[in-house]
Structure formats: structure tokens, C-alpha cells
Amino acid sequence: MRLRSYALSITPTALVTWAHDVAGNAIATAVFDGPTDHLEIESSASVELTAPAWPVFAIAASAAQYPFVYAADEWTDLGPLTIPQYDDADGHLARWVDDFVMARSTDTLSLLKDISNGVFTQISYQSRDDEGTQSPIETLDRRWGSCRDFAVLLAEAARRLGLGARIVSGYLTDPEMGLVGSADSGSTHAWAEVFIPGAGWIAFDPTNRSVGSQNLIPVAVGRDIHQIVPVSGSFSGARGAPCDLSVGVAVRIAAQDHAAAMEDRATSCPNPKRDRL
């Protein structure tokens, strides 16, 4: 993904400062001068997506088969990203993950795809506006969760295998409006990335059983989901003052890209009925 331009607008007027956190994410901090009865944050970005629909990953020969051992420098840099973040006292999660390991050794990428597909097929997706994220055990026990619950479960499963994993917060772009977790042509979204030598960070979206970042726009990465909340902060006011919260995502194709997309579609999709949609 290439970021062409970006703009941030906040109402009421605020003093905004930018900094990078420990993971390299750009963080905007807004400080307000006085009281207000509303807060509006508008983030607008123009991005260029070139990720292929069917990516081929150049995985290093040393990591093609699981289990494998990271190089010393990789271990040092991955650090806590390889360490499970949630308790698994009775081994429930460990057993669930082990069920996907058909043999030792086994193909690394196929194993991760199987686990991601397992999340998709065994856990029902439910959109949830409540604050917080379920633990992996809660998601396995309840058999339902949101995209952020799926991402946490998959990342924790990879860590149980000794692999480095991180959570990604961003947007799901869905022009055809056919993906899970998308209310319209796009939505806020969360998924996981696993580090495989040679290929680097590979995106896994268990909500849509996809590998690669064709429909994903990453904004922030972190060891745990609480580190990449899109908007967080505090306020002073009367009890019950916040009475409503809404989030909207609009996806628009740039004019030159739209013309190219229509030409490609006419070439690759000759079905007259589909062309009219």
C-alpha cells in the first residue's frame, strides 16, 4: 500500500501533535481548550493498493516447513510478539491449535491457512459495538465473535506455535459489498499478521478466510489489540454526558483508477447481467 495523501480534521478546534509509538505507528494527540457538546473526527486518506488477489510468498527454505527456528536477530526483534499474551491454564487453546498440526514437519503456510480457515468455519461472526475484546478462550467457548476477536484468536494461536504475530487495525475495502464484516463499501476492521522468514509479515484475515492484503488497508500494528484502538482518550463532564457514538467509512475509487477498473472488468467479466450491476 502506498499513501498518496492524508488529512485530519477535528471539531471543535484542537491542538494536535504527532508522535510515533514503540511500534512505529503515527499517533495524533488532540488537546481541547474548552467544553463542547460534540466531537467530530474526520480522517481522509488517498491510498494506492497493488496487492495481488492471489499472492505468492517467497518463504525462506529454512522456514518452509514447520517447526522451524528463527534466526538470532529475528528472535531478538520479534521478542514479545512470539510470547502468548493470554492465559491458557487448562490447555484448551493449545489443544485446539495442535489439532491443525497434521504432522511434524508440515508446510508452514498451509498450517497457518488451516488455522485461519478454522477460525472462519468454527466461530460465527457477530458484529459487536461493545467496548473491549474477547480473550481467545472466550471466543472458543462462545463460538462467536467480531473481527477483532478473530484477529486476537489467530495471533494467539500462531504464538502457541512459537511464531511471531501481531494485530493490525485498519479498514476493509469492499467495493463489491460481499465480504464479511463490511456494512457497505468499507468498514473499520482488524486482522492478524504472522512473520515468516523470507516472506516477512503475511496478512491473515480469518473473518473472510483470506491471505494477503488485497482488500486490507492497515493503519496501525501492535502486540495486543488494546494498543491499536483507533480513538481513545478521556473527558471531564457530567455522568452520562456521552449519549451517542457513530462511525462511518466511505470508500471512493479515484477517477483514473475507476476508468481502468471498468476497462478490466469489461475484459474479464463478459457476463452481461454482471456488467449491469
Side-chain angles (χ1 to χ4, degrees), residues 44-82:
S44 177
S46 174
V47 300
E48 180 181 355
L49 299 177
T50 58
W54 304 101
V56 177
F57 301 104
I59 297 175
S62 60
Q65 296 290 313
Y66 175 85
F68 64 87
V69 178
Y70 287 120
D73 282 346
E74 292 169 339
W75 273 119
T76 300
D77 292 333
L78 289 171
L81 297 179
T82 65

Side-chain angles (χ1 to χ4, degrees), residues 78-220:
L78 289 171
L81 297 179
T82 65
I83 301 173
Q85 304 294 304
Y86 296 85
D87 291 335
D88 185 28
D90 63 357
H92 184 186
L93 176 60
R95 290 191 299 273
W96 183 79
V97 175
D98 283 342
D99 284 344
F100 293 98
V101 183
M102 300 301 179
R104 293 179 186 267
S105 61
T106 188
D107 184 79
T108 301
L109 185 59
S110 295
L111 171 59
L112 292 172
K113 286 180 178 180
D114 287 345
I115 297 174
S116 182
N117 291 343
V119 176
F120 177 88
T121 57
Q122 298 180 27
I123 312 296
S124 299
Y125 173 82
Q126 291 188 22
S127 177
R128 192 176 77 256
D129 295 328
D130 297 341
E131 184 178 356
T133 304
Q134 296 176 172
S135 71
I137 299 302
E138 288 176 320
T139 301
L140 288 177
D141 288 343
R142 295 172 179 175
R143 295 290 173 174
W144 59 266
S146 66
C147 64
R148 60 187 185 273
D149 303 318
F150 284 20
V152 168
L153 174 57
L154 179 57
E156 195 71 357
R159 289 166 182 159
R160 291 286 166 181
L161 295 174
L163 304 180
R166 63 188 185 183
I167 311 296
V168 188
S169 176
Y171 298 97
L172 176 68
T173 174
D174 184 17
E176 300 293 333
M177 293 183 284
L179 299 177
V180 178
S182 180
D184 203 336
S185 57
S187 65
T188 55
H189 198 52
W191 60 96
E193 290 182 343
V194 181
F195 184 82
I196 306 297
W201 291 104
I202 299 179
F204 291 87
D205 179 13
T207 305
N208 287 287
R209 195 163 55 178
S210 66
V211 181
S213 52
Q214 181 194 23
N215 296 99
L216 304 174
I217 301 177
V219 176

